[in-house]
Amino acid sequence: MAASFTRDSGTQTPTTYDRFQELKAFDDSKSGVKGLVDAGITKIPRIFCRPKVEDHDSVKPIPTQFTIPVVDLENIKTRSDEVVEGIRKAGGEIGFFQVVNHGVPQSVLEEMLAAARGFHELPTEVKKSYYTREKTKKVIYGRHCLLSHYYPACPEPELTLGTTKHSDPDFLTILLQDHIGGLQVFHQNQWFDVPFLPGALVVNIGDLLQVLANEKGPRVSVACFFTPHLYPSTRIYGPIKELLSKENPPLYRETTVEDFISYYDSKGLDEKSALAHFKLQP
């Protein structure tokens, strides 16, 4: 499975430009990109501009033979072998698939998207009060972390991305996206759209996630990350011993999830997968 990396826009930044300070000022405002849109901007701030797009990294037409796999969980008790094989194939070959007939009512999915959209469209002062309260507590449901994303219509989508290319530092991400779409997966050196499928949940088992900025909007999504690092543990993770041999040696060194996350956080979204740091020399 491949990692996701940021694409460039060709924007030149002056030598006096202090991106960190501008990012900090933006973060401290607690108004988000919605606040910028509400202010009536027609040009995106330079902190969101990406450097020049390379030809080899541009989005290419999707081959007719390629589609994002869809795993149907209907009657899973009598179709378990078929479902497991579908997940194994999709996870191993692409790292992305969509799940339908998962048992979560359509009304619940719609209400979740509506709640995420409603929060981000609250007045700035009301949202600030939420942020202030959350500084004093951390709510964790089991080993899951739930995040909502809100991307307003972008006045210059060709200059930016919804988020930079990156690897998800977890074991599994389940994403609920709305009808606008925008999610892409990097596969066989090409970017492919993950199409909106009513009622489906997108599952990511790899370093393949990217979100594009869009002139349509607002785009809303909710992601559930399976994040065991939220609980301190000394458990060592590594390849399954029974699958190793002289002909099939380990590719990555053993590590704790905490060490992996610590490295991921320290390097930031720098266009490189955190997995490379843990790869054993050939």
Side-chain angles (χ1 to χ4, degrees):
M1 290 179 281
S4 311
F5 305 107
T6 341
R7 289 192 247 163
D8 297 349
S9 76
T11 302
Q12 299 297 319
T13 54
T15 55
T16 57
Y17 171 43
D18 191 335
R19 189 171 189 272
F20 176 78
Q21 288 302 322
E22 291 200 18
L23 281 170
K24 185 177 186 304
F26 172 75
D27 186 57
D28 290 343
S29 74
K30 301 300 185 220
S31 60
V33 288
K34 180 63 165 56
L36 298 176
V37 172
D38 290 343
I41 65 164
T42 57
K43 300 287 184 182
I44 63 171
R46 54 189 170 180
I47 57 175
F48 297 121
C49 290
R50 54 196 170 96
K52 184 180 178 182
V53 174
E54 300 293 340
D55 290 339
H56 67 82
D57 198 24
S58 59
V59 179
K60 301 172 183 175
I62 298 177
T64 55
Q65 73 273 15
F66 179 82
T67 57
I68 299 295
V70 176
V71 176
D72 189 346
L73 300 185
E74 188 173 19
N75 299 323
I76 190 172
K77 290 184 178 180
T78 59
R79 300 174 49 248
S80 60
D81 290 346
E82 176 188 345
V83 171
V84 169
E85 175 57 22
I87 293 174
R88 185 203 63 76
K89 182 177 175 60
E93 295 180 0
I94 302 173
F96 255 86
F97 57 91
Q98 301 205 65
V99 174
V100 296
N101 294 318
H102 42 66
V104 181
Q106 180 68 24
S107 60
V108 173
L109 301 180
E110 292 173 356
E111 289 169 6
M112 179 169 284
L113 290 173
R117 183 181 297 109
F119 170 78
H120 287 284
E121 293 179 350
L122 287 171
T124 298
E125 291 305 314
V126 177
K127 285 188 287 190
K128 283 183 178 179
S129 68
Y130 278 93
Y131 288 119
T132 301
R133 289 202 299 268
E134 288 304 316
K135 283 183 179 179
T136 61
K137 65 177 182 177
K138 180 183 286 186
V139 180
I140 301 172
Y141 299 94
R143 294 175 183 259
H144 306 160
C145 176
L146 197 67
L147 299 178
S148 65
H149 306 87
Y150 183 96
Y151 296 91
C154 181
E156 297 178 300
E158 72 281 0
L159 298 182
T160 189
L161 295 173
T163 187
T164 54
K165 302 177 187 178
H166 63 281
S167 328
D168 280 348
D170 58 1
F171 290 123
L172 190 69
T173 301
I174 299 177
L175 180 77
L176 169 64
Q177 64 171 342
D178 68 5
H179 65 286
I180 291 180
L183 184 69
Q184 288 194 326
V185 54
F186 193 64
H187 179 61
Q188 294 180 345
N189 295 317
Q190 296 187 54
W191 285 105
F192 299 103
D193 291 326
V194 178
F196 167 71
L197 185 61
L201 295 171
V202 182
V203 180
N204 172 22
I205 318 177
D207 305 323
L208 307 168
L209 185 62
Q210 181 190 45
V211 177
L212 293 180
N214 201 309
E215 61 184 0
K216 301 177 182 178
R219 173 186 180 272
V220 179
S221 66
V222 179
C224 179
F225 300 93
F226 288 78
T227 52
H229 66 281
L230 295 175
Y231 286 83
S233 172
T234 57
R235 180 174 179 179
I236 301 294
Y237 288 88
I240 300 173
K241 306 294 185 185
E242 291 79 4
L243 300 180
L244 299 178
S245 66
K246 178 182 280 188
E247 294 74 25
N248 187 36
L251 298 179
Y252 299 92
R253 62 182 172 87
E254 294 181 332
T255 184
T256 64
V257 174
E258 284 72 25
D259 286 345
F260 180 83
I261 296 299
S262 178
Y263 173 74
Y264 180 92
D265 290 342
S266 68
K267 79 177 188 64
L269 301 183
D270 61 355
E271 307 183 8
K272 297 179 181 178
S273 169
L275 288 174
H277 178 73
F278 297 88
K279 193 167 186 177
L280 295 169
Q281 296 298 322

